[in-house]
Amino acid sequence: MSGKAYAVVVGGASGIGATIVRAMVERGYAVVVADRNIDAANALVAQLGDGGHTAVEVDVADEATVAKLFESSTELPGRFEVAVNCAGITALGLVTELPVAKFRRVVDVCLAGAFLVIQHAGRHLVDGGTVISLSSLNARQPAVGMSAYASAKAGLSMLTQVAALELAPRIRVNAVAPGLVRTPLTSGALGVPGVEDEYVENIPMGRPGTPEEIADAVLYLAGAQWITGEVLDLNGGAHLMRYPNVHAHFEQSAAARTR
Ligand SMILES: NC(=O)c1ccc[n+]([C@@H]2O[C@H](COP(=O)([O-])OP(=O)(O)OC[C@H]3O[C@@H](n4cnc5c(N)ncnc54)[C@H](O)[C@@H]3O)[C@@H](O)[C@H]2O)c1
Protein backbone atom coordinates (compact mmCIF):
# COMPACT_ATOMS: atom_id res chain seq x y z
CA MET A 1 0.00 0.00 0.00
CA SER A 2 1.27 3.48 -0.75
CA GLY A 3 0.06 7.07 -0.26
CA LYS A 4 -0.17 9.09 2.90
CA ALA A 5 0.49 7.93 6.45
CA TYR A 6 -2.69 7.96 8.53
CA ALA A 7 -3.13 8.39 12.27
CA VAL A 8 -6.39 7.69 14.11
CA VAL A 9 -6.71 9.74 17.29
CA VAL A 10 -9.50 8.42 19.52
CA GLY A 11 -10.75 11.07 21.95
CA GLY A 12 -9.07 13.55 19.62
CA ALA A 13 -11.69 16.29 19.71
CA SER A 14 -10.62 18.03 22.92
CA GLY A 15 -7.73 18.85 25.23
CA ILE A 16 -4.57 16.75 24.88
CA GLY A 17 -6.07 14.71 22.03
CA ALA A 18 -6.84 17.80 19.93
CA THR A 19 -3.26 19.03 20.45
CA ILE A 20 -1.94 15.61 19.38
CA VAL A 21 -4.12 15.85 16.26
CA ARG A 22 -2.62 19.24 15.35
CA ALA A 23 0.92 18.01 16.01
CA MET A 24 0.39 14.95 13.81
CA VAL A 25 -0.98 17.09 10.99
CA GLU A 26 2.12 19.34 11.26
CA ARG A 27 4.26 16.18 11.03
CA GLY A 28 2.53 15.30 7.73
CA TYR A 29 0.01 12.67 8.84
CA ALA A 30 -3.56 12.58 7.59
CA VAL A 31 -5.65 12.28 10.74
CA VAL A 32 -8.94 10.60 11.59
CA VAL A 33 -10.37 12.42 14.61
CA ALA A 34 -12.55 9.85 16.37
CA ASP A 35 -14.60 10.97 19.33
CA ARG A 36 -17.91 10.55 21.13
CA ASN A 37 -18.40 14.28 20.62
CA ILE A 38 -18.79 14.33 16.83
CA ASP A 39 -19.63 18.06 16.72
CA ALA A 40 -16.33 18.95 18.36
CA ALA A 41 -14.49 16.45 16.11
CA ASN A 42 -16.07 17.99 12.99
CA ALA A 43 -15.22 21.51 14.20
CA LEU A 44 -11.57 20.52 14.72
CA VAL A 45 -11.30 18.83 11.30
CA ALA A 46 -12.73 21.98 9.69
CA GLN A 47 -9.78 23.92 11.17
CA LEU A 48 -7.16 21.48 9.87
CA GLY A 49 -7.43 22.40 6.19
CA ASP A 50 -6.74 20.08 3.28
CA GLY A 51 -4.96 16.78 3.72
CA GLY A 52 -7.66 14.12 3.89
CA HIS A 53 -8.51 14.61 7.57
CA THR A 54 -11.88 13.24 8.69
CA ALA A 55 -14.07 13.02 11.79
CA VAL A 56 -15.75 9.80 12.94
CA GLU A 57 -18.17 9.28 15.82
CA VAL A 58 -17.03 6.56 18.19
CA ASP A 59 -17.82 5.57 21.77
CA VAL A 60 -15.01 3.43 23.16
CA ALA A 61 -17.51 1.85 25.55
CA ASP A 62 -19.46 0.53 22.54
CA GLU A 63 -17.44 -2.19 20.79
CA ALA A 64 -19.43 -2.05 17.56
CA THR A 65 -18.40 1.57 16.96
CA VAL A 66 -14.73 0.83 17.72
CA ALA A 67 -14.74 -2.19 15.39
CA LYS A 68 -16.36 -0.14 12.61
CA LEU A 69 -13.86 2.70 13.04
CA PHE A 70 -10.86 0.44 12.55
CA GLU A 71 -12.45 -1.78 9.86
CA SER A 72 -12.97 1.38 7.81
CA SER A 73 -9.23 2.09 8.11
CA THR A 74 -8.76 -0.54 5.36
CA GLU A 75 -10.48 1.90 2.98
CA LEU A 76 -8.12 4.80 3.74
CA PRO A 77 -6.15 5.92 0.68
CA GLY A 78 -2.85 5.35 2.48
CA ARG A 79 -1.10 3.46 5.30
CA PHE A 80 -2.74 3.26 8.74
CA GLU A 81 0.43 3.71 10.82
CA VAL A 82 -0.53 5.19 14.19
CA ALA A 83 -3.43 4.83 16.64
CA VAL A 84 -3.57 7.13 19.66
CA ASN A 85 -6.10 6.58 22.43
CA CYS A 86 -6.94 9.71 24.44
CA ALA A 87 -10.54 8.95 25.44
CA GLY A 88 -10.87 9.37 29.17
CA ILE A 89 -13.26 10.41 31.92
CA THR A 90 -13.00 10.55 35.69
CA ALA A 91 -15.22 10.35 38.78
CA LEU A 92 -14.57 11.63 42.28
CA GLY A 93 -15.78 9.81 45.40
CA LEU A 94 -14.45 7.85 48.37
CA VAL A 95 -14.40 4.05 48.07
CA THR A 96 -17.07 3.80 50.77
CA GLU A 97 -19.34 6.22 48.90
CA LEU A 98 -18.75 5.99 45.13
CA PRO A 99 -21.65 4.20 43.36
CA VAL A 100 -20.32 1.13 41.57
CA ALA A 101 -22.05 2.31 38.38
CA LYS A 102 -19.71 5.33 38.32
CA PHE A 103 -16.71 3.10 39.03
CA ARG A 104 -17.75 0.79 36.20
CA ARG A 105 -18.29 3.67 33.76
CA VAL A 106 -14.75 5.00 34.31
CA VAL A 107 -13.24 1.52 33.94
CA ASP A 108 -15.39 0.93 30.84
CA VAL A 109 -14.06 4.05 29.11
CA CYS A 110 -10.48 4.28 30.42
CA LEU A 111 -9.55 0.58 30.57
CA ALA A 112 -11.97 -1.61 28.59
CA GLY A 113 -12.23 1.18 26.00
CA ALA A 114 -8.45 1.26 25.65
CA PHE A 115 -8.47 -2.55 25.34
CA LEU A 116 -10.93 -2.31 22.45
CA VAL A 117 -8.87 0.39 20.74
CA ILE A 118 -5.67 -1.66 21.05
CA GLN A 119 -7.48 -4.84 19.95
CA HIS A 120 -9.14 -3.42 16.85
CA ALA A 121 -6.29 -1.09 15.88
CA GLY A 122 -3.90 -4.02 16.37
CA ARG A 123 -5.82 -6.01 13.76
CA HIS A 124 -5.65 -3.29 11.11
CA LEU A 125 -2.42 -1.31 11.58
CA VAL A 126 0.23 -1.83 8.90
CA ASP A 127 3.29 -3.87 9.86
CA GLY A 128 5.57 -1.47 11.74
CA GLY A 129 2.56 0.46 13.05
CA THR A 130 2.13 1.63 16.61
CA VAL A 131 -0.47 2.27 19.33
CA ILE A 132 0.00 4.93 21.99
CA SER A 133 -2.39 5.32 24.94
CA LEU A 134 -2.88 8.09 27.47
CA SER A 135 -2.28 6.62 30.90
CA SER A 136 -1.74 8.91 33.92
CA LEU A 137 0.41 9.74 36.93
CA ASN A 138 -2.46 8.07 38.81
CA ALA A 139 -1.41 4.72 37.35
CA ARG A 140 1.44 4.76 39.88
CA GLN A 141 0.33 7.35 42.43
CA PRO A 142 -2.81 6.77 44.53
CA ALA A 143 -5.17 9.69 45.10
CA VAL A 144 -7.96 10.07 47.67
CA GLY A 145 -11.35 9.93 45.94
CA MET A 146 -9.94 8.69 42.62
CA SER A 147 -10.23 4.91 42.98
CA ALA A 148 -11.99 4.42 39.65
CA TYR A 149 -9.64 6.55 37.57
CA ALA A 150 -6.43 5.42 39.28
CA SER A 151 -7.41 1.73 39.06
CA ALA A 152 -8.34 2.06 35.40
CA LYS A 153 -5.11 3.88 34.51
CA ALA A 154 -2.99 1.37 36.47
CA GLY A 155 -4.72 -1.35 34.47
CA LEU A 156 -4.05 0.53 31.25
CA SER A 157 -0.33 0.75 32.03
CA MET A 158 -0.18 -3.04 32.52
CA LEU A 159 -2.40 -3.63 29.46
CA THR A 160 0.14 -1.60 27.45
CA GLN A 161 2.92 -3.95 28.51
CA VAL A 162 0.94 -7.15 27.85
CA ALA A 163 -0.19 -5.92 24.43
CA ALA A 164 3.40 -4.89 23.60
CA LEU A 165 4.56 -8.46 24.32
CA GLU A 166 1.80 -10.01 22.25
CA LEU A 167 1.95 -7.68 19.24
CA ALA A 168 5.75 -7.52 18.85
CA PRO A 169 7.50 -7.49 16.47
CA ARG A 170 4.70 -6.36 14.12
CA ILE A 171 3.33 -3.47 16.19
CA ARG A 172 4.77 -1.39 19.03
CA VAL A 173 2.49 -0.53 21.97
CA ASN A 174 3.38 2.30 24.37
CA ALA A 175 1.74 4.84 26.66
CA VAL A 176 2.43 8.27 28.08
CA ALA A 177 1.49 8.99 31.69
CA PRO A 178 0.99 12.73 32.19
CA GLY A 179 0.69 14.58 35.46
CA LEU A 180 -1.47 17.68 35.65
CA VAL A 181 -2.33 19.38 32.34
CA ARG A 182 -4.98 22.11 32.08
CA THR A 183 -7.79 20.79 29.84
CA PRO A 184 -11.59 20.56 29.97
CA LEU A 185 -11.10 17.32 31.99
CA THR A 186 -9.25 19.10 34.81
CA SER A 187 -10.87 22.56 34.65
CA GLY A 188 -13.61 21.63 37.16
CA ALA A 189 -11.14 20.48 39.83
CA LEU A 190 -8.77 23.37 39.13
CA GLY A 191 -11.65 25.79 39.77
CA VAL A 192 -11.88 24.56 43.39
CA PRO A 193 -9.85 26.78 45.75
CA GLY A 194 -6.59 25.19 46.84
CA VAL A 195 -6.46 22.41 44.26
CA GLU A 196 -4.05 23.98 41.78
CA ASP A 197 -1.74 25.24 44.56
CA GLU A 198 -1.46 21.75 46.04
CA TYR A 199 -0.72 20.24 42.63
CA VAL A 200 2.01 22.77 41.94
CA GLU A 201 3.53 22.28 45.44
CA ASN A 202 3.95 18.62 44.46
CA ILE A 203 5.55 19.25 41.05
CA PRO A 204 9.31 19.71 41.46
CA MET A 205 9.43 21.59 38.14
CA GLY A 206 6.91 24.05 39.63
CA ARG A 207 4.20 24.10 36.98
CA PRO A 208 1.60 21.95 35.18
CA GLY A 209 2.50 20.39 31.85
CA THR A 210 1.18 21.70 28.56
CA PRO A 211 -0.78 19.69 25.97
CA GLU A 212 2.06 20.45 23.52
CA GLU A 213 4.58 18.72 25.83
CA ILE A 214 2.39 15.60 25.87
CA ALA A 215 1.95 15.71 22.09
CA ASP A 216 5.76 15.95 21.66
CA ALA A 217 6.20 12.75 23.67
CA VAL A 218 3.50 10.95 21.69
CA LEU A 219 5.20 11.90 18.44
CA TYR A 220 8.54 10.77 19.85
CA LEU A 221 7.08 7.35 20.73
CA ALA A 222 5.39 7.14 17.31
CA GLY A 223 8.84 7.24 15.70
CA ALA A 224 10.95 5.40 18.31
CA GLN A 225 11.40 2.08 16.54
CA TRP A 226 13.12 0.24 19.42
CA ILE A 227 10.72 1.28 22.20
CA THR A 228 7.76 -0.92 23.05
CA GLY A 229 5.97 -1.70 26.31
CA GLU A 230 7.05 1.67 27.73
CA VAL A 231 4.86 3.87 29.96
CA LEU A 232 6.58 7.24 29.80
CA ASP A 233 6.12 9.52 32.84
CA LEU A 234 5.63 13.18 31.94
CA ASN A 235 4.91 15.07 35.11
CA GLY A 236 7.62 17.57 36.01
CA GLY A 237 8.89 15.13 38.66
CA ALA A 238 5.52 14.81 40.43
CA HIS A 239 5.96 11.03 40.68
CA LEU A 240 8.69 11.79 43.25
CA MET A 241 6.20 13.62 45.49
CA ARG A 242 2.64 12.86 46.64
CA TYR A 243 -0.68 13.26 44.87
CA PRO A 244 -2.85 16.22 46.04
CA ASN A 245 -5.97 15.47 48.09
CA VAL A 246 -8.42 16.87 45.53
CA HIS A 247 -11.35 15.25 47.35
CA ALA A 248 -10.58 17.18 50.57
CA HIS A 249 -10.59 20.49 48.68
CA PHE A 250 -13.99 19.65 47.13
CA GLU A 251 -15.35 18.82 50.62
CA GLN A 252 -13.96 22.05 52.13
CA SER A 253 -15.36 24.09 49.28
CA ALA A 254 -18.83 22.46 49.62
CA ALA A 255 -18.79 23.00 53.40
CA ALA A 256 -17.85 26.67 52.93
CA ARG A 257 -20.82 27.13 50.56
CA THR A 258 -23.31 25.74 53.14
CA ARG A 259 -22.00 27.92 56.02
N1 LIG B 1 -5.50 16.59 31.68
C1 LIG B 1 -4.72 15.91 32.52
O1 LIG B 1 -4.22 16.46 33.52
C2 LIG B 1 -4.44 14.45 32.28
C3 LIG B 1 -3.45 13.84 33.05
C4 LIG B 1 -3.17 12.49 32.85
C5 LIG B 1 -3.85 11.78 31.89
N2 LIG B 1 -4.81 12.40 31.14
C6 LIG B 1 -5.50 11.58 30.14
O2 LIG B 1 -5.36 12.18 28.88
C7 LIG B 1 -6.49 11.85 28.06
C8 LIG B 1 -7.07 13.12 27.47
O3 LIG B 1 -7.55 13.92 28.55
P1 LIG B 1 -7.86 15.48 28.43
O4 LIG B 1 -7.39 16.09 29.67
O5 LIG B 1 -7.40 15.99 27.12
O6 LIG B 1 -9.47 15.43 28.52
P2 LIG B 1 -10.62 16.04 27.62
O7 LIG B 1 -11.87 15.86 28.40
O8 LIG B 1 -10.26 17.42 27.14
O9 LIG B 1 -10.63 15.08 26.33
C9 LIG B 1 -11.10 13.76 26.41
C10 LIG B 1 -11.75 13.42 25.08
O10 LIG B 1 -12.21 12.07 25.15
C11 LIG B 1 -13.51 12.02 24.58
N3 LIG B 1 -14.23 10.89 25.17
C12 LIG B 1 -14.65 10.73 26.46
N4 LIG B 1 -15.31 9.59 26.59
C13 LIG B 1 -15.28 9.00 25.37
C14 LIG B 1 -15.81 7.78 24.87
N5 LIG B 1 -16.53 6.95 25.65
N6 LIG B 1 -15.59 7.47 23.57
C15 LIG B 1 -14.91 8.31 22.78
N7 LIG B 1 -14.41 9.49 23.17
C16 LIG B 1 -14.60 9.82 24.46
C17 LIG B 1 -14.15 13.34 24.95
O11 LIG B 1 -15.28 13.64 24.12
C18 LIG B 1 -12.98 14.30 24.75
O12 LIG B 1 -12.91 14.76 23.41
C19 LIG B 1 -7.46 11.09 28.97
O13 LIG B 1 -7.28 9.70 28.78
C20 LIG B 1 -7.00 11.47 30.36
O14 LIG B 1 -7.32 10.50 31.33
C21 LIG B 1 -5.12 13.71 31.31
Side-chain angles (χ1 to χ4, degrees), residues 10-18 20 34-38 40-41 57-62 65-66 85-90 105 108-110 113 133-138 149 153 156 176-187 190 199 209 211 214 234 243:
V10 180
S14 170
I16 295 169
I20 292 169
D35 204 288
R36 195 177 48 168
N37 185 343
I38 187 63
E57 187 168 359
V58 70
D59 179 349
V60 296
D62 176 353
T65 68
V66 181
N85 180 38
C86 307
I89 57 170
T90 189
R105 177 68 190 154
D108 221 20
V109 172
C110 293
S133 299
L134 270 287
S135 184
S136 166
L137 172 58
N138 291 120
Y149 185 78
K153 293 296 188 180
L156 173 54
V176 293
L180 178 67
V181 179
R182 286 190 194 94
T183 68
L185 185 74
T186 52
S187 62
L190 292 176
Y199 268 107
I214 312 307
L234 299 166
Y243 206 83

Side-chain angles (χ1 to χ4, degrees), residues 2 9 15-16 24 49 51 73 117 138 153 159 174-175 182-183 187 192 198 201 207 209 229 232 255:
S2 60
V9 182
I16 295 169
M24 302 218 69
S73 69
V117 169
N138 291 120
K153 293 296 188 180
L159 169 65
N174 292 295
R182 286 190 194 94
T183 68
S187 62
V192 174
E198 199 184 337
E201 279 163 22
R207 63 168 177 83
L232 186 60

